[in-house]
Amino acid sequence: MRDVYILGVGTTPCGRFPDKGAHILGREAAWAAIKDAGIHPRKIEIAFCGHVYQGMGVGQRTLKEIGLVGQPTINVEGACGSGTLSFWEAWRTIAYGQYDIALALGVENLSRVLSGGPLPLEEDDIEVALGMGMPGLYAMRAKRYMMEYDVSMEQLAKVVVKSRHHASLNPIAQYNKEMTIEEVLDSPMIADPLTRNMCCPVGDASAAAVLCSADLVDKLATKTPIKVLGCVAQSGKYSSPEGLTCDPSENVMRTSKMAYEMAGLGPEDMDVAEIHDAFSIAEMMVYEALGFCEKGEGAKLIEDGSTWINSGGVAVNPGGGLLSRGHPVGATGLLQTAEIVWQLRGEAGKRQQENANVGVIETMGGAQPSMDGITCVVSVLGK
Amino acid sequence: MSEEKTYNKPLPDFRPETKPYWEGTKNHAMVLPRSKETGKFFFYPRAMSPGDDMSEDIEWVKASGKGKVWTYAIHHMGPSKAYKGDPPYVVALIELEEGVKMMSNVIDVDVNDVHVGMEVEVVYDDVTDEVTLPKFKPAQ
């Protein structure tokens, strides 16, 4: 297996862009990543495009806008993990020696798919027939978790306060204003115990990364190349042989353990992290699954403030996370990846975590009856 | 139970392998699949036991229809327009006496009275002529 490096990343802003199709957003992000990499676009040998709702051939429709035609372009779908699944595909095609230079792209225009509210789910799903939506699913996790570990509504709200603070320092974030605990709690209840401000927004964006093999990195790199130390994708298992959907922690734990092992590092080595906080409860549960604390202690990290930037611990979601930067589903994983690359290069501006040398990205996609998730992807990046 | 003439919400996907389950609910009985090899119930209904046995040798057994709320969420917003007028309603994971968890609704109760551990029993909601959904109410 060869080492793989990220030469460049690029994103659009996150927000509501009903007048820009996914292919227009995608064109902007792909072009930005290619320029950031400082390579001629024709050097790209293969492209992957993550998306969920953007229809047939969206990768090809996007890349023809910037002259990237002819090369294999593969559209990748893994629910909310589609962006990082696209990154994983690009990584492995280089790592295993098939190609030397690849583009990983993620696109989504949700404004053109739904006006607001939760993501549409598969209607013949036995759980969906009972009125379950994604907020409701996370709310059920929250209810059980809060009871088992004595977690308060204020602690759930504090996740959002941190997220909005980081996003206020991120020019591409969808929400860029600070928010108080009261404002989080006083927003309308969506699925008790989750209020609207504890749920990620509907939004549109694209993000991309250009990857290359270790053989070419010295020749091609114009900026600090970021090394992919570990990259693992794993699908969900049965939550339990008997049960239905509730807790994705096993999937995240299993995937991150494999990614840490590949990197030869552990959770204690991480300086920054971008994690899948689709709903505020997810952040604490992912702290545990990624090994930042013991089971049941996620709320302690929220309480002691150590996951804020430059607060003594791993800075979690310095870009604002899904809750505040936004969650344009197919683009999310590469937005997370771009943030970690900027952090490791020292290009993160006002939200720069000091001495950021190693970062981890976790994306968790979807829910299925009796499974703990659809796809989890975890990457570990370093300088 | 439902007075609606047209039912607009999503309906479960019927397949031959889930027929005993949905025929059961239609007859207001809860019939659950069980692995003959391990003797363990599983849910949702499907053609094979998802345990380590991975067995297609399953049997259908009448269940008690009783259980406890394992977790729940009060939905103040439905997943689609079809649920307009329903909120607030409760979606819950019910841990049945047979050891399986089933997602369902807890009905005939003030949503604020639902709690983890609440004892519940099945009631049947004939949502169309063909389809009956099992729901739960507080145990008598």
Side-chain angles (χ1 to χ4, degrees), chain A residues 19 94 172 192 213 245 281 335 372:
Chain A
D19 56 333
I94 297 170
I172 67 160
D192 190 356
S213 66
T245 326
I281 182 64
L335 286 162
D372 51 19

Side-chain angles (χ1 to χ4, degrees), chain A residues 212-272:
Chain A
C212 82
S213 66
D215 306 346
L216 294 184
V217 68
D218 288 341
K219 197 175 149 208
L220 295 177
T222 54
K223 290 189 170 183
T224 307
I226 300 301
K227 190 174 179 182
V228 184
L229 301 171
C231 189
V232 176
Q234 289 278 293
S235 294
K237 288 185 179 177
Y238 295 121
S239 320
S240 70
E242 305 87 11
L244 279 181
T245 326
C246 197
D247 183 359
S249 298
E250 190 281 333
N251 201 351
V252 178
M253 217 180 305
R254 169 164 42 95
T255 313
S256 61
K257 195 163 174 269
M258 292 166 78
Y260 290 141
E261 273 173 19
M262 191 184 281
L265 297 169
E268 65 285 357
D269 298 314
M270 301 300 125
D271 302 311
V272 280

Side-chain angles (χ1 to χ4, degrees), chain A residues 287-303:
Chain A
Y287 286 171
E288 298 163 17
L290 288 180
F292 296 157
C293 63
E294 295 297 318
K295 182 86 182 148
E297 294 189 340
K300 282 188 188 165
L301 297 192
I302 292 298
E303 216 41 76

Side-chain angles (χ1 to χ4, degrees), chain A residues 86-135:
Chain A
S86 158
F87 179 87
W88 178 78
E89 291 280 14
W91 165 79
R92 74 187 182 110
T93 197
I94 297 170
Y96 292 100
Q98 194 179 16
Y99 291 97
D100 281 306
I101 305 175
L103 176 73
L105 176 67
V107 299
E108 206 76 51
N109 187 310
L110 281 179
S111 294
R112 289 194 169 187
V113 179
L114 65 160
S115 54
L119 292 176
L121 300 175
E122 292 300 325
E123 294 208 335
D124 62 7
D125 184 325
I126 195 167
E127 298 178 336
V128 175
L130 296 159
M132 187 204 80
M134 288 308 290

Side-chain angles (χ1 to χ4, degrees), chain B residues 14-133:
Chain B
F14 292 93
R15 289 183 295 268
E17 65 268 25
T18 61
K19 201 174 167 191
Y21 177 73
W22 294 112
E23 277 193 345
T25 61
K26 202 175 161 187
N27 295 320
H28 291 199
M30 185 174 285
V31 179
L32 296 179
R34 184 165 76 180
S35 162
K36 281 189 185 172
E37 198 175 314
T38 66
K40 279 188 177 175
F41 285 94
F42 60 90
F43 194 81
Y44 60 96
R46 72 201 94 166
M48 53 156 276
S49 159
D52 290 338
D53 51 314
M54 305 269 271
S55 171
E56 287 180 295
D57 194 12
I58 61 175
E59 58 190 346
W60 296 85
V61 181
K62 192 164 183 302
S64 71
K66 289 181 179 162
K68 287 179 181 171
V69 173
W70 192 79
T71 188
Y72 69 101
I74 305 169
H75 282 54
H76 292 263
M77 188 174 141
S80 72
K81 282 178 185 162
Y83 295 80
K84 203 179 171 190
D86 284 8
Y89 64 90
V90 173
V91 175
L93 271 179
I94 310 295
E95 190 168 35
L96 296 175
E97 283 185 345
E98 288 74 18
V100 296
K101 292 194 198 88
M102 174 183 291
M103 196 173 285
S104 186
N105 302 123
V106 181
I107 59 170
D108 295 342
V109 64
D110 182 329
V111 294
N112 297 309
D113 289 341
V114 177
H115 55 269
V116 172
M118 182 182 222
E119 293 194 12
V120 290
E121 62 188 25
V122 69
V123 283
Y124 295 96
D125 188 354
D126 301 315
V127 297
T128 70
D129 289 345
E130 298 301 318
V131 180
T132 298
L133 295 178

